[in-house]
Amino acid sequence: MNSAIHKIISNQEETKNVRNICILAHIDHGKTTLADQLISSNRIISTHLAGKVRYMDSREDEQDKGITMKSSAISLLHPYIQRDPQNGPPSLDEYSINLIDSPGHVDFSMEVSSAARLTDGAIVVVDAVEGVSTQTRSVLYQAYKENIELTLVVNKIDKLMHLKSDPMECFMQIERIISQTNVLMSNYYTKDMVDQGKEIEDIDSENFFQPSKKGNVVFSCAYDGWGFRVHDFARIFSKVFGMKEEILTQTLWGRFYYNAKKKAIKTKPNKENQPPMFVTFILKNIYDVYNVVIENEIEKLKKMVIALKLEISPKLVARKTEDEKSSYEKFALIMREWLPLERSVLDTVVECLPSPLDAQRNRILQLIPELHELQEKENEEKDTTQTTAVAPSTSEDEHAKKFLVEMRNYRRELKRQLLKCDHSDDTHTLAFISKMLAVDYLPSVFEAKERFKKNQTEENGDDAEDESVQEKDHLIGFARVFSGKLRVGQEIHVLGPRYNPHKPDQYRDVTTITSLYLMMGKDLIPVQEVPAGNLCGVGGLEKLVLKTATLSSSAFAPIFSAMYFQAHPIIKIAIEPQNVLDTPKLAEGLQLLNRADPSVLVFTQHTGEHVIMTAGEVHAERCIRDLKEKFAQIPLVVSPPLVSFRETIVEDENNPTKDRVAYTANRQCKITVRAISVPQNISTFISNNEVALEKAVAEDFDLDIAERQGLPVLHKLKEEFEKAGPKWAKEWDNLWSLGPRFFGPNLFLNHIPNYENAHFRSISERMIHPSARVNTQNIQDESVKKLIHLDGGFVGGFQLATKEGPLCAEPMFGVCFAIKNVEFLDMDTEITSGQVISAVAQACKRAFNSSARRLVEAKYYCELVVSQEYIGPACTVLKQRRANILEQDIEEGTGQFIIKCHLPIVESFGFSDELRNATSGECTPNIVFSHWEILDVDPYKKMITMDELEEFGDVEDKDNIALQYINNIRKRKGLMVEELLVDEGEKNRNLSKKK
């Protein structure tokens, strides 16, 4: 293995022979099993254990649950035979394959994003029976957003053969899967063009995955280690029929038919029900091998083995199988020898996925948007002349212009080097860390080699001593080098996601790289340097990087764009140590967890309570286990999972909104506010584009006025106001702020008389000129001057009100507050911003309480695949958990039913286990976060009329689910709850009378 590692390290310099890939799929579709087979090709694990050992799942809970919870990387060697198109002798090249295995569970979708950011291509695995599932769509979209090339592996062909006795039905199911994936990719492309306002080009929906023309589809059984491409059978039959391999390659997939009499290929069948060539030449041959083995036809099997030139023991071929299990094992052995999976998949990776050199030309400007608008070298002199032509008025201006010229020159040179993936010694270094990885051991060079040998021995079944020592995990950066080289001992700039070169003292640290590692699954191999185009682990950054960072050799470097995240933290868990003296250890452990897990949020509430937010129930279990066993290593007290809610108002004809008034503390300023419900399209748009809006309203981002005016999110938000109707289109110029945090889905409008656009700064003005201030010298009206002076106080009060609503101190959603009037009762009395903040917050909450109040709950999109006999029990479970069933359809070709529904997240805890129990283990739900939806129950409705009292009684609050949620949240937060402590009671009477 040492020679193989040496070859991998030496091959890193040959950028054209490097491939950075990840494996993406829905849960249980075979990602890690496929990774095992590819790893076995390098003899890291035995071929007999491949598919069973789950080498990339190094965590104990991953092995226990049978799911992948983190992205893990490994480097492999692949000898690729390059065939000469002129029929000359083939040549052999060795390729380095940097492989990342990513999770398929929705709770860990951020791990998928971190893997996709570092790679140039992906293998998408789809179960041949289940087809395109929920998470398959999600990972396809994540890969599309990261602009990486894709190959498709249709896995579990053997399972399809068991269900489909007819090869034609098997072909139709595979064809349906490929068609669905192509349509999905086409839809993503069309949506992206529409969102960008670009003209949609005509695109063939079958252009993405093509088994014949592109050769980027593999058909496999990963568990048994066999698979093939159309090209493999084209090579075989070109020799049998004397036809050109290229022609067979183009026609073995699709609706092409072979005319045996004329020995010609036709596009129309010669007779009714004639199968296409893929069935005739490929599937029927595989079915024949399967049937011969199952039926113990030994003589036919011997002829097949000889004809296929397979190196299989004659004793094994002649041995009769006694049961179905042994027959299937024999069939799997023959198929693995005939069509080895690792060769088909890795050949596809080499041929269809780009090298770092080709990939960075296509995607680097998308990853670093700040380089996109840079002028090329021919305009550099012109820009410099224009910059220095005007004499500076001060030394500060001269220094600023000099700084700007130096930065632009540096970035132009960096851009050229990035496009070439240049790794020469004098090249600028630029790398990206997509996450911090927790490892239990940081080895030296000698220790790493010895440990790697030991782990290899253990994985192959030999006995080994357990020398594990309990110690806290170390954090290393999971990185990709895009330009130059990373070297041990090199001084590097660590740039945070909000770094601005004009403010170099903020979000920047300078450190020295202490160690670099070649990542080999759970093992780390120390190296001295890593050139551009390769993946590595970076040591020495444990206290400097929070989730992601850009590494650069200069402070002038631009930062990488934010990664696309499908799921966001939604479940809260309160944590405290069993022993109060362990609180410092818990705080330290939470900091490490926050750095190491890209999906978790850690914060401390104003009550001093430590809280983590996770993406789901399984993710929460992993975080708690990591805290107990790795980061804090103390016993913990953990609260039940808590789900975030939102508070909103709805329009109610019986309860129209009214103006509400609040006074400042000195009673000298009267503020009138009205609460209005925000149209759904506006609140949804803001909620879906919070990252872009945060960038637009932040002052510390490096955007000039022209760039801010061209921000797409600003124009799109205005379009949403216009879509909501003429009334809301007029309100665009009155939009004061968004909230909470200045980019939330609530609106703050200015309806104050005489405080118009000439003086008041709307949100569009704030986005374009974030640091500008209104000049009050020419303003005569003293009240307007006072309003301008207190402008920040009004916005601050709105932010405070929307951060914690009056129902249960949860953030507001889709609420608009309009300041109708501000009246100064005494112009000579000073009013502070703090007084205004309190008064505005109080007025907003009063206006909110005067409207029809509702809770907003988070919902999952859920898909169930269940047989007909278990539809009833499955629907019963869904009904008990308030699921809204959207659709029930039979899945073509399988006889199973698909149930699609929206499930409240608050009702999802224990849902999977209950569903499996109700369906005898047959049904497992596929869930993904969908949207926020109003819970249409008035939490404070009182029965007044005789009809209402007769129907519901006077204790309706017992069945009011919204009120139950509110009371539970208020109790947890220590807020006042109005409830009866005793519903029914009797007077205590003494049994004996006093004498």
Side-chain angles (χ1 to χ4, degrees), residues 9 203 222 252 270 291 305 362 374 389 563 646 650 673 675 790 814:
I9 295 173
I203 185 169
L252 273 176
N270 303 319
N291 292 330
V305 170
N362 296 328
L374 275 181
M563 295 184 292
R646 299 290 185 266
V650 295
V673 176
L790 298 171

Side-chain angles (χ1 to χ4, degrees), residues 185-200:
M185 295 301 295
S186 178
N187 291 341
Y188 297 151
Y189 169 80
T190 304
K191 179 180 180 296
D192 194 30
M193 292 296 104
V194 171
D195 290 344
Q196 295 179 21
K198 296 180 180 179
E199 184 178 350
I200 302 175

Side-chain angles (χ1 to χ4, degrees), residues 734-777:
N734 297 325
L735 183 58
W736 206 338
S737 181
L738 304 178
R741 304 188 311 278
F742 298 96
F743 50 86
N746 302 289
L747 309 181
F748 192 43
L749 300 182
N750 170 27
H751 287 176
I752 304 173
N754 301 324
Y755 193 47
E756 300 171 349
N757 260 347
H759 316 301
F760 144 78
R761 297 184 64 232
S762 66
I763 192 169
S764 57
E765 287 294 319
R766 292 171 187 268
M767 288 182 179
I768 297 171
H769 307 282
S771 301
R773 298 292 179 265
V774 177
N775 186 2
T776 60
Q777 292 181 356

